[in-house]
Amino acid sequence: MNSAGYKTRQKAVIEDLLIKNADRHLTADDITDMLKEGGNDVGRTTVYRTLERLVTDNKVRRFSMPQGDSACYQYISAGETCHEHFHLKCNYCGALLHIECEQMSLLSEHIAKHHGFAVDNLKTVLYGVCQKCAGERK
Amino acid sequence: MNSAGYKTRQKAVIEDLLIKNADRHLTADDITDMLKEGGNDVGRTTVYRTLERLVTDNKVRRFSMPQGDSACYQYISAGETCHEHFHLKCNYCGALLHIECEQMSLLSEHIAKHHGFAVDNLKTVLYGVCQKCAGERK
DNA sequence: TTGCGTGCAAAGGTTTTGCATGGCA
DNA sequence: TGCCATGCAAAACCTTTGCACGCAA
């Protein structure tokens, strides 16, 4: 599960920052800046490469934004292993909703059975419009 | 509905190509290349600007892909009212599958009704593992 | 003639890669 | 020592913008 590798200051401070902000979604740039402000300077390249590793290791979730905007990353908390758990992200206010829903399991099952594809709920984010924003835009 | 404007060869051949490939997803690059091969050369800039207009006019649907990949465009056929169309992306080989599936509509309906969130299938990409990669990794 | 449309070139942004150096084990 | 990790600079990538010219109406 963990890609072996050496222990370094950079890896430690990046993972640490993500854990401390597990309720937020941060861009690679946010992370670079926050570390610099904290006196824990890490090169931009290293931030990207570390995030890539963490995503591969399933420790971090990556949110793909529409082109032009930068991707967001968020630490995957320990308890989040249940497969009925998934995420909704509002395109307008950016709110991230965590939902437990058996309907999602039904979809995953259906896709596995009929389309031969194993959906990873931890990595998947459904984009749309939340109730609040839908109201405001009427 | 239609942003007025002049009639030009470029607009015509681009819309024509999209109509003839209404069952496929084309990137701006695909379109540029296909037109060039067909002897109907159109500048890349014009392709982008024309697609932008078509999307604004609701004649074409734009699929935002994860960063790094280019956006896809597809002509919206006359009778097409429901959006049961969505995307699966393999974490390993990067394959992008386009799927028509009513189960997805059921999920969207459920989420709208029970969670007050309007899922945008056009922007949503489900991540996971495709059949081929699942086989190779066993 | 008027002003939208076109397309080259260059800029814009995020992310990746080449390569020499640094540092863990 | 051996190999992974780092980080600067440069490249790659898709897309947008500046600007002069072309062309529809």
Side-chain angles (χ1 to χ4, degrees), chain B residues 5 8 10-11 43 45-46 49 53 67:
Chain B
T8 66
Q10 288 87 341
K11 285 185 188 175
T45 306
T46 301
R49 282 199 273 234
R53 261 189 305 254
Q67 288 144 335

Side-chain angles (χ1 to χ4, degrees), chain A residues 44-94:
Chain A
R44 196 177 303 283
T45 307
T46 301
V47 171
Y48 276 107
R49 282 199 273 233
T50 303
L51 286 170
E52 193 185 343
R53 260 188 307 251
L54 289 169
V55 169
T56 302
D57 291 348
N58 263 296
K59 291 179 135 186
V60 162
R61 179 162 39 235
R62 177 188 165 133
F63 300 93
S64 290
M65 293 297 145
Q67 286 146 336
D69 293 329
S70 45
C72 289
Y73 298 85
Q74 183 184 38
Y75 202 81
I76 297 175
S77 305
E80 271 186 68
T81 44
C82 170
H83 281 289
E84 298 191 354
H85 186 122
F86 66 102
H87 297 90
L88 303 172
K89 185 169 166 106
C90 179
N91 291 145
Y92 296 108
C93 65

Side-chain angles (χ1 to χ4, degrees), chain B residues 1 3 5 10 15-16 32 37 40 48 54-55 58 63-64 68 71 77-78 86-87 93 97 100 106 108 110 112 136:
Chain B
M1 184 93 167
S3 18
Q10 288 87 341
E15 189 162 348
D16 200 52
T32 308
E37 278 172 27
N40 278 315
Y48 275 107
L54 289 168
V55 169
N58 262 296
F63 300 95
S64 289
S77 305
F86 66 101
H87 297 96
C93 66
L97 292 78
E100 293 283 345
L106 292 178
S108 298
H110 171 86
E136 285 170 6

Side-chain angles (χ1 to χ4, degrees), chain B:
Chain B
M1 184 93 167
N2 258 16
S3 18
Y6 299 154
K7 227 177 283 183
T8 66
R9 178 187 66 84
Q10 288 87 341
K11 285 185 188 175
V13 295
I14 291 172
E15 189 162 348
D16 200 52
L17 184 77
L18 284 162
I19 290 175
K20 285 189 175 134
N21 291 278
D23 59 327
R24 300 181 51 193
H25 296 70
L26 304 175
T27 65
D29 234 53
D30 289 338
I31 294 170
T32 308
D33 291 347
M34 290 167 80
L35 289 175
K36 181 173 278 178
E37 278 172 27
N40 278 315
D41 227 325
V42 173
R44 197 177 303 282
T45 306
T46 301
V47 170
Y48 275 107
R49 282 199 273 234
T50 303
L51 286 170
E52 193 185 342
R53 261 189 305 254
L54 289 168
V55 169
T56 303
D57 291 347
N58 262 296
K59 292 179 134 186
V60 162
R61 182 162 40 235
R62 176 190 164 130
F63 300 95
S64 289
M65 289 300 141
Q67 288 144 335
D69 293 329
S70 43
C72 289
Y73 298 86
Q74 183 183 36
Y75 201 80
I76 299 175
S77 305
E80 208 183 317
T81 43
C82 66
H83 292 184
E84 299 190 350
H85 193 122
F86 66 101
H87 297 96
L88 303 173
K89 181 162 174 136
C90 178
N91 291 146
Y92 296 109
C93 66
L96 185 69
L97 292 78
H98 309 262
I99 307 249
E100 293 283 345
C101 174
E102 66 166 49
Q103 194 74 32
M104 189 65 190
S105 309
L106 292 178
L107 179 70
S108 298
E109 270 172 42
H110 171 86
I111 292 176
K113 195 180 284 180
H114 293 80
H115 305 283
F117 187 94
V119 175
D120 180 352
N121 289 1
L122 302 184
K123 285 193 181 159
T124 297
V125 179
L126 305 183
Y127 292 92
V129 187
C130 75
Q131 206 153 29
K132 201 184 93 225
C133 289
E136 285 170 6
R137 310 190 105 251
K138 261 181 192 162

